[in-house]
Amino acid sequence: MSDHTYKKIELTGSSPEGMQQAIENAIARAAKTVRNMRWFEVTETRGHIEDGKVAHWQVTLKIGFTMDD
């Protein structure tokens, strides 16, 4: 394994479908402008309740990416 230096960003993805989709939405959006993404870490999960039911998920994650040379 090569030596790498990583930078982290923090994002919050959301979805009415569930936590997995909220994570995927955040990563897909970041992929439009962030290169060399390597890993993610979920740091917070929360949801919105309507009429006694889960209506929406929000997942905060840190994404690590390698910096360009």
Side-chain angles (χ1 to χ4, degrees), residues 15-58:
S15 173
E17 297 171 23
M19 292 186 298
Q20 178 74 27
Q21 190 61 47
I23 292 167
E24 291 179 14
N25 289 347
I27 291 172
R29 177 58 186 91
K32 293 180 180 181
T33 57
V34 178
R35 295 184 308 274
N36 306 319
M37 291 190 293
R38 302 290 184 231
W39 52 266
F40 73 93
E41 169 189 3
V42 174
T43 59
E44 187 175 353
T45 305
R46 62 185 168 271
H48 177 72
I49 300 169
E50 286 183 13
D51 299 322
K53 296 180 183 176
V54 175
H56 210 87
W57 292 91
Q58 288 184 332

